[in-house]
C-alpha cells in the first residue's frame, strides 16, 4: 500500500520538553486514520508538523512519498487544526472566497458554494463569522480545509462543538470523501465511538510517542468475545481442547489462565476437560470494549 503519511523519528521540543518524541507514523493512501490520545499527548503538535505549521526539531516527514518541503505536496493538503484562522468581520462565504483565490481555483464562486453546502453552511454564508456559534466556526474550518479538493485531510477534533446532528453530518461527509474521491483522512476525536464508525486504522499516542498502530480489523479481532478459563494445568487443558474440540484459537497466560477465542460453548469446554481429568477452577465469557482498549493504551488514570 502506498503511504500517504510517513514519519520517522519525528521530534518537536519546546523549551527542552518533548511534545512529540521520536514519532513513527504510517498512514496508507485512502485510509481514515483515527489519531487517539489524551489532552497534551502530542496530537495537535503532530498535526501542525504534518501541515508545515511548525518546524520539527528532528526527524523526517513524507507525504505521498515526497518530502513535506516539496511545494506540490502542500497543495494536496487540507488542514483543520485548533480554531480556523478567519477574519471575524467577514462572512463564511467571504472567508472561503479569500482562501479559494489564494489557492488559484477556477470558478471560485462555484467551489465556495459547493463546499459551504457540504458542511451545512449554505444558509449562513453571508453572516459575519464573529456571530457564529462554536459549531458554525467548526463547520467553517472544515469548509476551508476542503477547498481545493485536497488528497489528504488533517482534521484535529473536527466535531468539537457540534450537536449530534452536526456530528452525524461530518461523519457522513468524511465517509463520502473517502469512498467517492479516495481522500486520505487523519482525524482526531475524543468521541471514540464516532471514530469506531469511520476509521480503517488507528494510531495511539502517549507522551508524544506512538504506542501502537493497528487496523480496524485487527482491533476488532483483539476485542472479540472470548472464554477465560482458570486451571492448574493450562498447557494440558489446551492440548485436550485442541484434540477433543478442534480448538486452535487460544492463548496460554500466566497463573493458569487460558483464553479461548474460537466459538465454543462453555459447557462443552468443561465437559471435555472433566472427561480427561483436567480440573477447572473457573470459567466465564469476557469482552474487552474498544474504548477500554484505547483507554488502557493511552494510560488514562495513571501518573505519566
Amino acid at each position: 500500500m502506498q503511504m500517504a503519511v510517513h514519519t520517522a523519528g519525528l521530534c518537536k521540543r519546546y523549551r527542552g520538553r518533548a511534545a512529540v518524541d521520536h514519532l513513527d507514523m504510517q498512514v496508507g493512501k485512502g485510509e481514515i486514520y483515527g489519531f487517539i490520545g489524551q489532552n497534551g499527548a502530542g496530537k495537535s503538535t503532530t498535526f501542525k508538523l504534518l501541515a508545515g505549521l511548525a518546524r520539527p526539531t528532528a526527524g523526517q516527514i513524507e507525504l505521498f512519498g515526497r518530502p513535506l518541503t516539496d511545494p506540490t505536496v502542500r497543495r494536496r493538503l487540507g488542514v483543520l487544526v485548533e480554531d480556523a484562522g478567519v477574519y471575524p468581520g467577514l462572512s463564511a462565504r467571504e472567508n472561503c472566497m479569500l482562501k479559494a483565490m489564494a489557492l488559484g481555483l477556477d470558478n471560485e464562486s462555484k467551489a465556495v458554494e459547493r463546499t459551504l453546502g457540504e458542511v451545512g453552511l449554505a444558509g449562513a454564508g453571508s453572516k459575519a463569522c464573529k456571530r457564529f456559534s462554536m459549531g458554525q466556526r467548526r463547520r467553517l474550518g472544515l469548509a476551508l480545509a476542503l477547498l481545493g479538493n485536497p488528497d489528504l485531510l488533517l482534521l484535529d477534533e473536527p466535531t468539537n462543538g457540534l450537536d449530534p446532528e452536526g456530528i452525524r453530518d461530518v461523519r457522513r461527509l468524511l465517509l463520502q470523501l473517502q469512498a467517492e474521491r479516495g481522500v486520505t483522512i487523519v482525524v482526531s476525536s475524543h468521541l471514540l465511538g464516532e471514530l469506531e464508525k469511520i476509521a480503517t486504522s488507528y494510531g495511539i499516542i502517549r507522551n508524544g510517542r506512538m504506542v501502537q498502530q493497528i487496523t480496524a480489523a485487527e482491533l476488532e479481532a483483539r476485542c472479540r468475545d472470548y472464554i477465560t478459563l482458570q486451571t492448574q494445568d493450562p498447557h494440558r487443558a489446551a492440548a485436550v481442547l485442541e484434540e477433543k474440540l478442534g480448538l486452535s484459537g487460544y492463548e496460554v497466560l500466566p497463573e493458569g489462565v487460558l483464553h479461548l477465542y474460537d466459538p465454543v460453548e462453555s459447557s462443552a469446554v468443561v465437559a471435555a476437560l472433566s472427561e480427561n481429568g483436567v480440573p477447572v477452577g473457573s470459567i466465564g465469557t469476557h469482552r474487552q470494549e474498544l474504548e477500554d482498549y484505547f483507554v488502557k493504551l493511552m494510560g488514562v488514570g495513571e501518573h505519566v
Side-chain angles (χ1 to χ4, degrees):
M1 177 186 290
Q2 181 184 355
M3 289 295 113
V5 178
H6 174 78
T7 74
L10 187 62
C11 298
K12 180 62 179 178
R13 303 187 72 85
Y14 294 103
R15 298 179 181 176
R17 175 186 169 274
V20 173
D21 189 7
H22 294 87
L23 186 79
D24 296 333
M25 182 180 194
Q26 295 84 36
V27 181
K29 185 178 178 182
E31 285 196 282
I32 298 181
Y33 184 96
F35 196 35
I36 300 171
Q38 290 180 267
N39 290 335
K43 299 190 303 297
S44 293
T45 302
T46 300
F47 276 115
K48 290 176 183 176
L49 293 170
L50 294 177
L53 301 175
R55 184 178 301 225
T57 305
Q60 297 178 333
I61 301 173
E62 288 186 353
L63 303 181
F64 300 103
R66 305 181 72 86
L68 183 60
T69 52
D70 188 326
T72 61
V73 166
R74 296 289 184 91
R75 287 196 287 270
R76 301 178 70 177
L77 273 176
V79 180
L80 173 58
V81 179
E82 296 178 346
D83 281 334
V86 300
Y87 294 97
L90 299 182
S91 68
R93 183 174 289 108
E94 290 167 334
N95 272 287
C96 286
M97 283 295 294
L98 288 175
K99 173 73 178 290
M101 288 187 288
L103 291 172
L105 300 184
D106 294 329
N107 201 338
E108 300 103 329
S109 296
K110 183 177 180 180
V112 166
E113 295 305 321
R114 183 189 69 245
T115 305
L116 288 174
E118 286 178 329
V119 302
L121 283 179
S126 58
K127 180 180 176 181
C129 294
K130 62 185 176 183
R131 299 202 304 271
F132 273 14
S133 67
M134 183 177 181
Q136 287 177 316
R137 291 198 302 271
R138 214 60 183 158
R139 288 176 185 268
L140 176 55
L142 185 55
L144 292 169
L146 290 173
L147 279 171
N149 293 322
D151 297 312
L152 172 63
L153 280 173
L154 305 175
L155 305 178
D156 189 12
E157 298 287 347
T159 58
N160 193 23
L162 297 182
D163 59 21
E165 182 180 359
I167 292 171
R168 183 186 60 190
D169 290 344
V170 170
R171 183 205 318 148
R172 289 174 175 173
L173 177 59
L174 298 185
L175 288 170
Q176 181 180 355
L177 290 170
Q178 185 221 22
E180 297 181 3
R181 303 187 199 173
V183 178
T184 305
I185 303 168
V186 182
V187 55
S188 72
S189 177
H190 287 102
L191 303 176
L192 299 181
E194 282 299 313
L195 282 183
E196 290 170 25
K197 296 174 183 176
I198 63 172
T200 58
S201 62
Y202 300 91
I204 303 169
I205 187 173
R206 178 178 177 182
N207 294 338
R209 286 181 173 266
M210 187 69 75
V211 177
Q212 186 178 81
Q213 294 186 101
I214 188 170
T215 68
E218 290 170 338
L219 180 61
E220 181 64 27
R222 293 191 185 189
C223 294
R224 67 187 186 271
D225 292 329
Y226 63 89
I227 291 175
T228 181
L229 170 70
Q230 181 107 31
T231 176
Q232 293 180 353
D233 194 346
H235 292 283
R236 182 162 174 248
V240 168
L241 295 173
E242 190 170 341
E243 178 185 353
K244 301 299 182 181
L245 299 181
L247 301 186
S248 58
Y250 61 81
E251 184 179 15
V252 179
L253 301 175
E255 299 180 2
V257 175
L258 190 66
H259 285 177
L260 309 177
Y261 298 107
D262 289 346
V264 64
E265 294 292 333
S266 298
S267 57
V269 171
V270 173
L273 293 177
S274 298
E275 289 170 4
N276 289 272
V278 181
V280 176
S282 64
I283 188 169
T285 58
H286 178 80
R287 177 176 177 82
Q288 178 172 254
E289 297 295 333
L290 297 181
E291 183 173 312
D292 294 336
Y293 184 89
F294 289 137
V295 166
K296 181 179 179 182
L297 286 179
M298 288 189 293
V300 176
E302 298 179 12
H303 297 286
V304 294

